[in-house]
Amino acid sequence: MSRRTRIFLALVAVYVIGMATLLYQLLGDLDPRYRESAEEGLVETAQLLATVIEQDVDQGALPPDRIAAIFRDLYARRFSAQIYSLHKTRVELRAYVTNRYGTVVYDSTGRDLGKDYSAWRDVRNTLRGEYGSRTTRDVPQDPKSSVMYVGAPIRWQGEIVGAVSIGKPVQSLGQFVSAARGNIISVGMASGFSVVLLACVLSFWLIRPLGITSDLLSALRTAWWRDAEGRRHFSPRRAWRAVRAQIRAAAQELRDAIAGRNYVQEYVEQLTHELKSPISAIRGAAELLQEPSMPAEQQQRFAASIARETRRLQEAVDRMMELTALESRRMLQDQECVELPPLLHELAAGARAQVPGLRVDVRITADLAVEGDPFLLRRAIGNLLDNAVGFSTPAGGDKPDIVLRLAREGRMARIEIRDHGPGVPSFAENKVFDKFFSLARPGSTKRSTGLGLAFVREIATLHQGSITLGNAGDPPGALAVLRLPLLKA
């Protein structure tokens, strides 16, 4: 994983964690905020009802019959109110009235008439002239049965002669809380996805291949200086100059990245690294050939080395140019039907002709065709087959050295190329498709250019397919699997 990718993933992780923390706090704070809003409405309703009851108080005696008539008519009312997604048709408020001693003289549920409520917080505080409220479960084991109560004093000639408490089931707020929670989650996920998508787009232009944070820290370290006595001091002016220089460098690098120079520079660095070895070999052989006393046999050997390394150079340059041209293509322009069985038989015959005695079996389980570029597909499968030929060792007996298998896998054509070589080492499993990465052939130190499998991956991507390379199991060997979308009927 490149440094740029690690930086990008770290920024995405920080953003995701921050968004998740924010959503968690918002969702956790949602229910209390709705309860606060509902409690504020209950306070006004209780005060209004207390005022209505006070109109019928006679000599400090509460009018329970009048109160019962009010709530009987209230519960009998039917209406239609569409509150966003909630359709409300009846009143869900509860109420009870206590006298100055806390004894219930009216209960809208009819369950606790005559009981002593003086110990309940809403009644006790209200009879004292304080604000009283409580939330109590109707069923102790069921948290959804909670009811919010708010009390208001009933006065006669300035004296508190009773209390009225208005209650509302908390469950009636649940649908609002659930709807709000769903909206927050939807908006949060949509905004998070949008930001991550925007970050992915901008990362191609705005993320530098080097660490911005480490550059800034290195710049700020230059702002510290020591006086004659060795004490360290921080200079804001030095810090500003260092940061300003880093900003200018980042801006320049950003312009270079937009112009595509970083991409070219990366390719040039990789190609230069791969060309060093053959160039050194050619130069050494050429210097030795200048020795006048060198035997003719050695001259021929060094001349052959120069020719071999020159071919290696030419192959690396040609492959690099092909891969660069392929990567610049965003889609296949001209596509046609490609019958896979004849193509596999043709490539297998070419491999047998290249290495006499090599046993290559072609096993076709379905007559399949794909749509694509015949030349590129031939190059992709040919590269995989060449790779298998280079790493194969004789299987022995009647077993084939290499097996090409074509089968249907859902809507994909599955092309398998299995050899009987040493397989893929564990350290190379995640690198086989990297440019310029190659392994030595069995029994020699010869390596390829390391561009063949990268070339195959680009071809598979252009054809909306995929390529994998791993170990085949027992008996040992490598297994390459190329998947391509089948030709649509």
Side-chain angles (χ1 to χ4, degrees):
M1 183 183 296
S2 66
R3 194 173 188 181
R4 175 186 297 184
T5 304
R6 291 197 298 268
I7 293 173
F8 174 71
L9 292 179
L11 293 176
V12 170
V14 170
Y15 171 75
V16 170
I17 293 174
M19 282 293 297
T21 303
L22 177 61
L23 287 177
Y24 179 79
Q25 292 178 346
L26 288 177
L27 295 176
D29 201 42
L30 198 59
D31 188 65
R33 298 290 80 80
Y34 267 88
R35 294 196 183 197
E36 290 175 359
S37 178
E39 184 175 345
E40 192 266 344
L42 289 177
V43 170
E44 296 183 349
T45 303
Q47 295 295 334
L48 175 61
L49 183 58
T51 303
V52 172
I53 295 174
E54 287 173 356
Q55 307 304 315
D56 296 318
V57 173
D58 184 17
Q59 300 298 318
L62 300 177
D65 294 339
R66 173 59 178 161
I67 299 172
I70 292 174
F71 276 93
R72 183 174 59 251
D73 294 342
L74 178 63
Y75 289 148
R77 292 178 69 89
R78 288 295 179 266
F79 53 87
S80 179
Q82 188 67 39
I83 309 173
Y84 295 100
S85 60
L86 173 65
H87 185 217
K88 196 171 184 65
T89 58
R90 61 187 179 87
V91 174
E92 299 181 32
L93 291 176
R94 301 182 183 184
Y96 59 83
V97 180
T98 62
N99 58 22
R100 70 179 69 200
Y101 305 110
T103 303
V104 178
V105 297
Y106 171 77
D107 181 10
S108 62
T109 64
R111 295 179 300 187
D112 297 332
L113 188 64
K115 290 186 177 181
D116 183 9
Y117 269 24
S118 60
W120 287 116
R121 187 171 181 271
D122 57 326
V123 176
R124 183 181 69 247
N125 289 0
T126 300
L127 293 178
R128 293 176 181 174
E130 303 171 358
Y131 174 63
S133 64
R134 67 181 171 96
T135 299
T136 307
R137 296 179 182 180
D138 279 349
V139 180
Q141 295 79 15
D142 185 8
K144 295 183 179 180
S145 65
S146 298
V147 182
M148 297 174 56
Y149 292 98
V150 171
I154 301 174
R155 291 184 172 87
W156 181 73
Q157 294 183 353
E159 179 185 359
I160 297 178
V161 296
V164 57
S165 287
I166 299 295
K168 188 175 183 63
V170 174
Q171 192 173 7
S172 63
L173 305 174
Q175 48 196 332
F176 293 106
V177 175
S178 299
R181 184 177 288 114
N183 290 336
I184 290 177
I185 293 176
S186 300
V187 172
M189 293 184 65
S191 62
F193 176 77
S194 301
V195 171
V196 171
L197 180 62
L198 181 62
C200 291
V201 175
L202 294 181
S203 65
F204 291 103
W205 297 283
L206 299 183
I207 293 182
R208 300 173 56 200
L210 299 178
I212 296 176
T213 303
S214 60
D215 288 349
L216 289 176
L217 292 177
S218 299
L220 290 176
R221 279 197 293 268
T222 63
W224 291 92
W225 59 282
R226 295 181 182 273
D227 58 17
E229 299 178 3
R231 291 175 298 186
R232 298 185 66 194
H233 299 277
F234 182 79
S235 172
R237 180 176 297 180
R238 287 189 178 185
W240 167 243
R241 285 200 300 263
V243 171
R244 187 173 56 184
Q246 287 297 328
I247 292 175
R248 284 199 301 265
Q252 181 64 41
E253 189 170 353
L254 173 61
R255 289 192 296 269
D256 292 344
I258 295 176
R261 296 173 188 169
N262 284 335
Y263 183 74
V264 175
Q265 181 182 359
E266 180 183 352
Y267 261 30
V268 170
E269 290 177 352
Q270 292 177 334
L271 183 61
T272 302
H273 176 75
E274 292 300 317
L275 297 184
K276 281 182 179 179
S277 177
I279 289 176
S280 299
I282 292 173
R283 184 175 61 184
E287 291 176 352
L288 291 174
L289 284 174
Q290 295 177 4
E291 297 291 334
S293 60
M294 179 176 290
E297 181 180 349
Q298 291 187 6
Q299 289 180 353
Q300 292 179 357
R301 182 163 58 87
F302 285 120
S305 175
I306 291 176
R308 183 176 60 254
E309 296 299 332
T310 302
R311 286 194 300 269
R312 181 180 172 187
L313 283 174
Q314 187 64 47
E315 183 182 3
V317 171
D318 292 343
R319 283 291 185 92
M320 195 67 186
M321 292 179 65
E322 290 178 354
L323 182 59
T324 303
L326 192 62
E327 288 180 338
S328 65
R329 298 174 64 174
R330 295 294 177 261
M331 60 182 298
L332 295 172
Q333 300 295 335
D334 299 321
Q335 302 186 53
E336 57 186 86
C337 175
V338 180
E339 298 288 345
L340 293 178
L343 178 59
L344 295 184
H345 284 291
E346 176 188 343
L347 292 172
R352 297 188 194 100
Q354 179 183 355
V355 183
L358 183 70
R359 294 195 56 183
V360 181
D361 278 8
V362 180
R363 301 174 183 177
I364 309 294
T365 61
D367 190 8
L368 304 177
V370 298
E371 187 176 22
D373 188 318
F375 175 76
L376 292 180
L377 290 177
R378 183 178 288 105
R379 289 293 303 275
I381 302 174
N383 281 348
L384 293 176
L385 187 56
D386 290 342
N387 197 64
V389 170
F391 282 92
S392 284
T393 55
D398 296 332
K399 296 180 180 179
D401 301 316
I402 298 174
V403 176
L404 271 73
R405 181 179 287 106
L406 174 63
R408 177 189 291 270
E409 187 179 274
R411 299 181 178 180
M412 307 290 284
R414 178 186 175 97
I415 303 172
E416 295 183 2
I417 302 178
R418 194 219 196 277
D419 62 44
H420 287 81
V424 182
S426 58
F427 70 89
E429 290 179 351
N430 298 325
K431 302 178 181 179
V432 290
F433 293 103
D434 292 348
K435 288 187 286 291
F436 297 111
F437 180 83
S438 62
L439 297 170
R441 269 42 180 175
S444 71
T445 58
K446 182 181 178 182
R447 296 173 181 264
S448 66
T449 59
L451 296 173
L453 290 179
F455 192 73
V456 174
R457 182 176 59 180
E458 291 298 328
I459 294 175
T461 302
L462 275 176
H463 286 81
Q464 308 300 317
S466 64
I467 175 66
T468 59
L469 177 61
N471 291 310
D474 189 24
L479 175 64
V481 179
L482 176 63
R483 295 177 178 88
L484 299 169
L486 289 172
L487 180 66
K488 297 180 180 179

